[in-house]
Amino acid sequence: MPLVPPAPPDSLDAVPATWRHRHLLDLERLSAEEIVLLLDTAARFKEATAGCRKKLAVLAGRTIVNLFFENSTRTRTSFALAARRLGADVVEFTASGSSLSKGESFIDTARNLEAMGIDAVVVRHSTPGTPHLLAQHLGVGVINAGDGPHEHPTQGLLDIFSIRERLGDLKGVTVGLVGDISHSRTARSNIHGLLKLGARVIVCGPPTLVSPRWRELGVEVSHDLDKIVPTCDVLNLLRIQFERQNTRPFPSVREYAHLYAMTAERMKRARHDLLILAPGPINRGVEVTADVADCPQSLILDQVTNGLAVRMAVLWLICGPRDGLAGESLSAVKSEGRTN
Ligand code: NCD
């Protein structure tokens, strides 16, 4: 990584006026145009940083706080690296060891962090709606890094980015989301984003984890992986979220894997160019076998790289300089009346 970051290309000098959100809380309330803007911006950052490896200085002087109340490997590291790649400072907040254990409320904790002059908070919490609550109480940008089973917008964006990079336009592309749809925030964000961009979405898994009510969102519902495999261009294999379940949704993991794991045998019945995605962490032998996870059609590690590009785009759109406001604090921008 070079010590002196190169100057950013012109197109990354100022946040486009068409982006008017102060926060990234979910994909449900973004328009197709805004999702495309995010994806195009991520593509520009990927190119400008030579595949997410080099540094730019477009967020120099900004401070991002990672506020994670749930475990994370990829998302947390990726947000921190994305911020650093853009020249921002990053503070890692850990709930254990903080004054939350002394009875301070979540909102008071966040307000105290805000008082230190930060520009954005990246929050992950097991309670759905936590980022939305923070956005009501803080004056700085709030980015949802996963709120319980609700949404995980940057995961949805990086999945869609990875598909688009390979297949181009999403219109007419068939994406199967397989696994624990009920408890998956990745599923919700993918569904909202993919449908807005014109993809066909099939959710597939055991009836205990895939309710027919998902049809209300505009997706197709299946309980038979063997039936949908030949029709899909992409399969996104979701983990069983045991940590969010109170009862066992199937008799045994072995039986689940027999019916719903993507295996080499099932790959033989798929299109030759089927793409395999998984948000990670993957459980080899449960939702995907090792040979499929590591096969040439697997984008699992590309997704991780693309996660950096997407998070650079999100951080820049939320905290980046506006035309005529370059270098000014975010609070100056807030009074301009940007919306959620
Ligand atoms: C996902 C999450 O945390 O929601 N993982 C991730 O962010 N990379 C999915 C999961 O935990 O299975």
Side-chain angles (χ1 to χ4, degrees):
M1 200 163 297
L3 286 176
V4 182
D10 285 340
S11 56
L12 297 175
D13 277 352
V15 173
T18 46
W19 180 260
R20 297 205 53 83
H21 293 279
R22 283 175 54 199
H23 313 290
L24 180 69
L25 302 176
D26 47 53
L27 294 193
E28 187 175 4
R29 67 182 86 184
L30 293 190
S31 65
E33 292 72 29
E34 287 167 334
I35 293 174
V36 169
L37 172 66
L38 273 158
L39 298 173
D40 288 347
T41 307
R44 283 214 296 277
F45 273 116
K46 187 169 178 184
E47 199 190 330
T49 56
C52 304
R53 289 193 157 79
K54 285 201 216 149
K55 278 191 167 189
L56 299 173
V58 292
L59 288 187
R62 302 286 201 257
T63 303
I64 314 296
V65 176
N66 258 346
L67 199 59
F68 277 57
F69 294 89
E70 267 190 359
N71 294 342
S72 174
T73 300
R74 277 151 291 270
T75 308
R76 184 177 195 138
T77 313
S78 168
F79 266 112
L81 275 178
R84 290 196 178 104
R85 292 277 196 278
L86 300 186
D89 295 320
V90 182
V91 176
E92 295 286 351
F93 175 88
T94 319
S96 65
S98 76
S99 286
L100 283 164
S101 62
K102 299 182 195 167
E104 186 170 60
S105 79
F106 175 65
I107 299 293
D108 279 335
T109 299
R111 278 199 167 135
N112 277 269
L113 294 170
E114 182 182 28
M116 295 182 205
I118 63 170
D119 297 285
V121 173
V122 179
V123 61
R124 169 173 283 194
H125 202 283
S126 57
T127 305
T130 301
H132 306 67
L133 181 74
L134 263 192
Q136 283 166 19
H137 285 86
L138 298 188
V140 298
V142 177
I143 298 165
N144 183 0
D147 58 329
H150 175 231
E151 274 225 40
H152 191 353
T154 55
Q155 184 67 47
L157 288 167
L158 76 89
D159 292 349
I160 295 168
F161 182 98
S162 304
I163 300 169
R164 198 180 78 144
E165 199 173 47
R166 291 295 177 111
L167 303 183
D169 194 353
L170 269 286
K171 277 197 190 70
V173 170
T174 300
V175 180
L177 300 169
V178 184
D180 184 357
I181 308 300
S182 289
H183 303 95
S184 173
R185 50 196 178 205
T186 297
R188 272 180 191 71
S189 291
N190 264 273
I191 289 170
H192 290 304
L194 287 166
L195 291 180
K196 281 174 202 214
L197 298 191
R200 171 184 174 218
V201 180
I202 309 173
V203 293
C204 180
T208 44
L209 295 175
V210 185
S211 149
R213 295 205 61 181
W214 284 95
R215 291 199 180 95
E216 291 167 22
L217 288 183
V219 302
E220 294 164 45
V221 171
S222 168
H223 306 300
D224 187 345
L225 179 59
D226 289 311
K227 203 163 163 193
I228 71 157
V229 158
T231 71
C232 288
D233 301 297
V234 181
L235 283 179
N236 197 341
L237 307 172
L238 307 177
R239 190 174 62 86
I240 306 298
Q241 313 265 316
F242 288 111
E243 71 275 23
R244 299 198 190 115
Q245 299 169 3
N246 297 322
T247 53
R248 257 181 180 277
F250 39 74
S252 71
V253 168
R254 190 197 291 220
E255 273 172 272
Y256 176 82
H258 177 65
L259 292 172
Y260 295 107
M262 196 56 198
T263 60
E265 195 49 42
R266 290 195 164 104
M267 286 298 272
K268 286 187 199 152
R269 279 172 266 132
R271 291 186 185 165
H272 73 280
D273 50 359
L274 171 74
L275 298 177
I276 297 293
L277 272 73
I282 57 169
N283 285 303
R284 290 170 186 258
V286 183
E287 67 273 14
V288 60
T289 53
D291 44 5
V292 175
D294 302 327
C295 75
Q297 286 141 271
S298 166
L299 300 188
I300 295 173
L301 292 178
D302 299 72
Q303 286 171 266
V304 178
T305 306
N306 292 336
L308 269 173
V310 160
R311 287 166 183 133
M312 282 192 265
V314 169
L315 289 168
W316 183 73
L317 287 169
I318 300 290
C319 307
R322 315 257 138 189
D323 259 339
L325 286 170
E328 296 204 12
S329 73
L330 190 67
S331 52
V333 180
K334 281 186 316 245
S335 59
E336 296 265 292
R338 279 195 280 153
T339 63
N340 263 352

